[in-house]
């Protein structure tokens, strides 16, 4: 068997050893192992998830061979859960796999405690009533939950968790933490020791842009009452000042300074998202508080005191045109400041742990270092209870989605998927499952959908006839291509939740295979 570091090399580059360890310690429960469920779980098994439990009470039928690659001819008549489980384990023998031959709906109804043993439950192809019940069960047990469903050429994915905190959110675009608009004494002292008017052209073109910007910003502030550029004209004038310092057209360091000058103009202090987190009621901690909120409480104290309105410095600098000596010295200054900030944070965390009666070693140094490094990018996700979304959707959003051309098809599919469940509850089958009744089913589904709209507080609104017809034409079929796509989205979000890296999506993800579009509805 391949060594884990070799086996999972590419993904380790994305979420690191901590993320991989979280995956390998996770226990996943899959409800219904049709194409959508099988494709979802396949991605996690290949990624090295710790253990899986497949729950499905059905038998493999001939029709399953056309849309589920996890079963074959020899599987017909056998337990679907057993066959899928065996196939998945073949993909990665390091994953522990077991199956339960029981109908998920019955399990939800009769054995709610069953779900408390898992890290995360992924429920596929469940009807609305079972979704609401399972959501309540998992929230009470603090078990993460993801719903996924494919239905003809549409499908959805929806996360349901009380609260999910992310330290390593890894945003695509985020300013380097250079503090050019608020340099600390050691950085300012280092910049002041370097002469920008040096006559040697080689030295002049190898002065790091960080030094150039700190010095020019300081020069600007002295002649502008201590203020940095704020208006469009001032920013333009600041860039012209940088250009005037160039002594040759090939000075890349000055070009970098001009390109990075916006970092000087950015506001000091913390952003609104972080402000909201440190002001959250959960930042008032007690002995039962999660580690994340204890570190937030320490961060709040740091910002108000030693940080002077700023978070701990990250301590890294980007590549830039510079002499090796100046770059290394600059790097050491940033690293020293980051280490000093970390030590202050560490003491504050320990002080809070002692105050609330917990062991001061409860939170590891590695966790605190990661928290300090990512303090500007912390994220807290909270999800509405599914029952609240179904019964009391957010009216402004609902009206916007129904009338907005970009969102209307996704919103109609959201309504029709719910209407299809009501149809099945009334008629013991889904609309369009029998060819001879499609015309009648279209009329029935339309009536149910209009009634659902009324229940949601949207009287008088109509739905697109074409999409109602398509919904009946789907006949509740799980198409493999759609199931694979929906399963891919679901497994991606599961990895985010388990590793606590990257920000999981909020709201209900709707896939529209007719128009090749996806939308996120926040209801």
């Amino acid at each position: 068997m391949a060594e884990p570091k070799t086996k999972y090399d590419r993904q380790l580059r994305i979420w690191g050893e901590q993320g991989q360890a979280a995956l390998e310690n996770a226990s996943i429960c899959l409800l219904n192992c049709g194409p959508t469920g099988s494709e979802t779980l396949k991605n996690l098994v290949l990624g090295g998830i710790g253990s899986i439990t497949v729950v499905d009470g059905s038998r493999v039928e001939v029709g399953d061979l056309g849309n589920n690659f996890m079963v074959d001819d020899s599987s017909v008549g056998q337990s679907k859960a057993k066959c899928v489980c065996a196939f998945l384990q073949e993909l990665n023998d390091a994953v522990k796999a077991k199956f339960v031959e029981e109908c998920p709906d019955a399990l939800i109804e009769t054995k709610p405690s069953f779900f408390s043993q898992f890290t995360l439950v992924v429920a596929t192809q469940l009807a609305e009533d079972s979704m609401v019940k399972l959501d309540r069960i998992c929230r009470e047990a603090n078990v993460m939950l993801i719903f996924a469903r494919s239905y003809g050429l549409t499908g959805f994915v929806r996360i349901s968790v009380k609260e999910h905190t992310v330290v390593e959110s890894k945003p695509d675009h985020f300013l380097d933490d250079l503090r050019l608009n608020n340099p600390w004494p050691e950085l300012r002292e280092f910049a002041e020791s370097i002469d920008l008017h040096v006559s040697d052209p080689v030295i002049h073109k190898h002065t790091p842009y960080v030094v150039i910007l700190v010095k020019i910003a300081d020069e600007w502030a002295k002649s502008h009452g201590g203020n940095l550029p704020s208006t469009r004209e001032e920013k333009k004038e600041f860039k012209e000042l940088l250009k005037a310092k160039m002594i040759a057209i090939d000075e890349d360091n000055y070009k970098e300074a001009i390109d990075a000058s916006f970092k000087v103009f950015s506001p000091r202090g913390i952003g609104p998202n972080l402000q909201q987190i440190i002001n959250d009621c959960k930042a008032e901690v007690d002995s039962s508080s999660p580690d994340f909120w204890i570190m937030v409480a320490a961060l709040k104290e740091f910002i108000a005191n030693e940080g002077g309105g700023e978070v701990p410095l990250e301590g890294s600098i980007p590549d830039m045109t510079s002499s090796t000596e100046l770059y290394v010295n600059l790097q050491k200054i940033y690293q020293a400041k980051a280490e000093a900030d970390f030590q202050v944070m560490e003491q504050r965390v320990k002080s809070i742990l002692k105050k609330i009666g917990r062991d001061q070693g409860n939170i590891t140094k590695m966790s605190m270092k990661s928290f300090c490094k990512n303090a500007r990018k912390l994220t807290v996700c909270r999800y509405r209870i599914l029952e609240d979304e179904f019964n009391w959707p957010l009216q402004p959003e609902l009206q916007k989605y129904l009338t907005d051309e970009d969102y209307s098809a996704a919103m109609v599919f959201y309504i029709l998927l719910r209407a299809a469940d009501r149809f099945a509850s009334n008629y013991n089958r889904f609309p369009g499952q029998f060819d001879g009744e499609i015309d009648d089913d279209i009329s029935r589904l339309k009536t149910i959908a209009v009634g659902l709209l009324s229940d949601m507080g949207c009287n008088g609104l109509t739905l697109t006839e074409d999409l109602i017809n398509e919904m009946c034409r789907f006949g509740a079929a799980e198409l493999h291509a759609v199931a694979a796509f929906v399963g891919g989205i679901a497994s991606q979000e599961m990895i985010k939740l388990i590793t606590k890296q990257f920000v999981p999506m909020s709201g209900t993800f709707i896939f529209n295979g007719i128009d090749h579009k996806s939308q996120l509805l926040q209801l």
Side-chain angles (χ1 to χ4, degrees):
M1 187 173 72
E3 285 292 320
K5 283 191 177 182
T6 305
K7 188 176 186 178
Y8 303 124
D9 176 65
R10 283 185 294 177
Q11 62 202 49
L12 281 167
R13 295 164 194 255
I14 299 171
W15 52 69
E17 291 186 18
Q18 275 185 295
Q20 188 62 34
L23 280 176
E24 291 173 8
N25 290 326
S27 173
I28 305 297
C29 176
L30 168 68
L31 302 186
N32 290 316
C33 57
T36 308
S38 298
E39 289 293 332
T40 302
L41 215 50
K42 175 203 73 179
N43 298 326
L44 291 164
V45 167
L46 289 171
I49 201 74
S51 67
I52 59 170
T53 300
V54 179
V55 180
D56 195 315
S58 64
R59 300 270 163 184
V60 178
E61 298 176 1
V62 174
D64 294 320
L65 306 181
N67 65 0
N68 193 339
F69 288 148
M70 313 296 165
V71 294
D72 56 24
D73 291 341
S74 64
S75 308
V76 175
Q78 295 187 46
S79 160
K80 191 184 289 184
K82 181 181 179 181
C83 294
V84 168
C85 195
F87 185 91
L88 288 170
Q89 191 145 39
E90 282 182 27
L91 296 178
N92 190 343
D93 56 10
V95 175
K96 297 171 185 173
K98 61 181 180 179
F99 61 93
V100 176
E101 292 182 63
E102 193 165 342
C103 173
D105 294 319
L107 200 60
I108 292 166
E109 198 69 49
T110 61
K111 297 178 187 174
S113 60
F114 171 81
F115 300 99
S116 62
Q117 63 185 293
F118 301 106
T119 308
L120 186 149
V121 174
V122 53
T124 66
Q125 308 304 105
L126 283 189
E128 187 172 309
D129 287 347
S130 293
M131 287 171 64
V132 168
K133 288 173 187 173
L134 182 61
D135 184 38
R136 205 178 297 125
I137 290 166
C138 287
R139 280 174 181 266
E140 287 174 4
N142 281 319
V143 173
M144 296 182 286
L145 174 62
I146 286 189
F147 296 105
R149 186 176 189 178
S150 59
Y151 192 110
L153 290 175
T154 187
F156 75 84
V157 176
R158 211 284 201 171
I159 297 170
S160 190
V161 183
K162 271 187 195 175
E163 178 182 277
H164 180 68
T165 56
V166 187
V167 173
E168 295 185 60
S169 59
K170 301 183 180 180
D172 290 334
H173 307 287
F174 217 82
L175 280 181
D176 297 311
D177 190 15
L178 298 176
R179 307 284 166 93
L180 302 179
N181 56 358
N182 192 15
W184 62 98
E186 290 82 2
L187 177 59
R188 182 171 267 120
E189 188 181 317
F190 176 71
E192 286 172 356
S193 71
I194 296 170
D195 183 10
L196 293 186
H197 303 288
V198 65
S199 58
D200 187 330
V202 175
I203 295 174
H204 194 269
K205 68 166 62 175
H206 285 90
T207 302
Y209 81 75
V210 167
V211 171
I212 297 169
L213 287 173
V214 168
K215 288 184 75 75
I216 301 300
D218 196 42
E219 184 181 313
W220 174 281
K222 283 176 183 174
S223 61
H224 289 78
N227 298 315
L228 292 172
S230 57
T231 66
R232 188 174 180 181
E233 291 74 24
E234 286 178 339
K235 291 173 183 178
K236 186 177 179 182
E237 189 182 337
F238 185 84
K239 289 182 180 179
E240 291 300 326
L241 189 59
L242 287 168
K243 284 181 185 176
K245 300 290 183 182
M246 296 176 70
I247 61 174
I249 59 170
D250 64 341
E251 292 189 312
D252 289 337
N253 56 335
Y254 276 85
K255 291 175 184 175
E256 289 169 1
I258 293 166
D259 289 341
S261 59
F262 70 93
K263 297 174 184 177
V264 174
F265 314 146
S266 61
R268 294 176 178 177
I270 63 175
N273 289 343
L274 182 56
Q275 188 68 57
Q276 191 175 350
I277 291 172
I278 65 172
N279 289 340
D280 194 287
C281 62
K282 286 213 168 181
E284 301 296 326
V285 296
D286 56 32
S287 59
S288 62
S289 295
D291 292 353
F292 176 87
W293 288 108
I294 290 169
M295 289 189 282
V296 167
L299 178 64
K300 187 175 184 177
E301 291 179 1
F302 178 93
I303 292 169
N305 295 283
E306 298 86 357
E310 301 276 7
V311 299
L313 188 75
E314 288 180 24
S316 58
I317 59 174
D319 291 338
M320 62 189 78
T321 302
S322 170
S323 66
T324 303
E325 183 185 358
L326 287 179
Y327 186 84
V328 169
N329 288 339
L330 187 63
Q331 198 172 45
K332 285 178 180 177
I333 288 167
Y334 273 86
Q335 289 170 348
K337 169 66 172 165
E339 181 60 28
D341 286 353
F342 164 72
Q343 286 177 7
V344 172
M345 270 289 289
E346 185 179 27
Q347 289 309 310
R348 288 201 169 275
V349 169
K350 287 182 177 180
S351 174
I352 290 171
L353 286 169
K354 184 179 180 181
K355 185 178 174 182
I356 61 176
R358 280 175 54 180
D359 185 346
Q360 292 186 33
N362 264 175
I363 300 176
T364 66
K365 186 170 279 196
M366 185 184 290
S367 297
M368 283 187 269
K369 281 214 178 245
S370 177
F371 186 90
C372 288
K373 187 178 179 182
N374 294 284
R376 295 186 302 146
K377 308 161 195 168
L378 303 177
T379 305
V380 176
C381 306
R382 290 178 177 132
Y383 298 86
R384 287 192 81 192
I385 296 171
L386 200 62
E387 189 172 13
D388 288 354
E389 179 185 309
F390 285 165
N391 294 333
W392 304 284
L394 304 175
Q395 285 301 319
E397 300 300 315
L398 181 58
Q399 297 288 346
K400 182 187 87 172
Y401 294 144
L402 285 167
T403 54
D404 188 317
E405 189 177 333
D406 289 335
Y407 285 90
S408 58
M411 190 65 231
V412 170
F413 272 130
Y414 174 91
I415 291 164
L416 290 175
L417 283 163
R418 292 188 59 197
D421 282 342
R422 290 194 179 187
F423 185 106
S425 179
N426 293 340
Y427 299 101
N428 292 318
R429 61 178 179 82
F430 285 99
Q433 278 194 308
F434 301 112
D435 291 341
E437 299 193 44
I438 284 187
D439 290 340
D440 290 337
D441 284 357
I442 290 171
S443 176
R444 291 168 184 153
L445 183 62
K446 182 179 179 180
T447 302
I448 291 171
V450 169
L452 179 58
L453 267 176
S454 177
D455 292 347
M456 295 169 77
C458 296
N459 293 312
L461 287 174
T462 55
L463 299 175
T464 311
E465 295 278 348
D466 287 349
L467 292 183
I468 296 173
N469 295 347
E470 286 298 317
M471 201 69 181
C472 289
R473 202 164 67 86
F474 294 160
E478 276 188 88
L479 305 178
H480 179 263
V482 176
F485 180 80
V486 171
I489 297 293
S491 57
Q492 166 188 283
E493 297 307 308
M494 290 167 73
I495 288 170
K496 291 178 186 177
L497 290 171
I498 293 165
T499 61
K500 290 199 169 187
Q501 295 182 27
F502 302 94
V503 180
M505 61 188 182
S506 58
T508 302
F509 172 89
I510 300 287
F511 172 63
N512 172 2
I514 295 174
D515 298 324
H516 309 290
K517 286 183 179 179
S518 299
Q519 296 286 7
L520 204 55
L521 306 178
Q522 299 193 352
L523 296 166

